[in-house]
Structure formats: structure tokens, C-alpha cells
Amino acid sequence: WLWACARSREIGGPKLAIFTSMTVIDEMWHEFILCTHDYSSFCDDYLAGYVHHEPFTRADRAAFHESSSRDPMAQRKLQEDQLTAIMGFIHDHLGERVMYRWFRTYKRRYTAEFLHSHRLPMT
């Protein structure tokens, strides 16, 4: 995922977003970012610079809901176009198997319940 984000940035591809089906990727990214030195070094060494994690904020959610209530069909089309662009990018750069795994398999295998039940307690 990190390589795909860096590559997309490098070639002016779509801004990659983690969809609900890919929550496990987001969880792994969060864990890696916590090791700030290692994460920063990894990005510099392998990705030609730091890959920022830009979560969907409350303001983003509010704007999404406002736009959806104003024109639900246009908002749905925008989301579908974004998903199509991201899936196409992943397919073209990492292959069909990775695309299928990230957008289908992970959704079934790594549910919110699964992730919650396997989270280690904070000490």
C-alpha cells in the first residue's frame, strides 16, 4: 500500500484512499507509523520520501454528508469514479491478484469484529 501511494504521487495518479474493505491495511499502517524513526527511514530509503497518512476527517465526513443530501446521485457517481480509478491503478501496477485480495478477500477475512478481537490490550 505504501509503495502504491508513493508511486501514484510520483506519476500524478489518483489519490489513493483506504476503503472499508481494506481496514486491515490501515491498521498495519497505523502500527508502522508509531515506530516513527523506522517508518521515516523506510519511506526515505524505499519510497523517495515520507508517505503521509491523511485520514478522512470530521470535516470531510460533514462535507460528504452535505453533498450526499444535496445530490445523492452525483456523490455516488463521484465515489464510484474514485473507486474505479484506484482499483484500476492497483490492477495496473500491482496486478489483479493484489486488487482482488485488497478489495474482496480482506473485506471478508478482516472484519471489524475480527480486528477488534485480535487487538492486543494497551499496557
Side-chain angles (χ1 to χ4, degrees):
W1 181 255
L2 296 173
W3 178 88
C5 289
R7 180 69 178 143
S8 185
R9 174 186 64 204
E10 178 185 337
I11 66 170
K15 182 176 180 183
L16 302 186
I18 293 179
F19 289 83
T20 305
S21 62
M22 304 159 67
T23 301
V24 70
I25 293 172
D26 195 43
E27 294 277 334
M28 289 186 283
W29 193 356
H30 287 191
E31 289 298 316
F32 195 12
I33 286 173
L34 292 175
C35 303
T36 56
H37 178 74
D38 292 337
Y39 180 73
S40 181
S41 295
F42 178 86
C43 289
D44 289 342
D45 293 347
Y46 298 103
L47 305 174
Y50 195 85
V51 176
H52 289 276
H53 185 280
E54 300 177 42
F56 203 61
T57 65
R58 285 189 184 114
D60 294 332
R61 281 187 185 84
F64 172 80
H65 289 301
E66 193 275 325
S67 177
S68 291
S69 64
R70 194 173 58 249
D71 191 346
M73 294 305 289
Q75 186 61 38
R76 183 177 180 98
K77 172 88 169 89
L78 185 65
Q79 282 183 292
E80 288 173 357
D81 290 349
Q82 180 187 25
L83 180 59
T84 298
I86 292 170
M87 289 177 78
F89 179 85
I90 298 302
H91 179 275
D92 293 348
H93 292 271
L94 295 172
E96 184 176 346
R97 289 177 56 188
V98 171
M99 183 194 69
Y100 186 83
R101 184 179 318 125
W102 286 1
F103 290 91
R104 296 286 289 233
T105 305
Y106 285 1
K107 183 178 185 174
R108 288 190 306 265
R109 184 176 296 160
Y110 302 110
T111 63
E113 296 79 18
F114 175 90
L115 293 173
H116 181 71
S117 70
H118 287 77
R119 207 170 260 126
L120 295 174
M122 299 295 285
T123 56

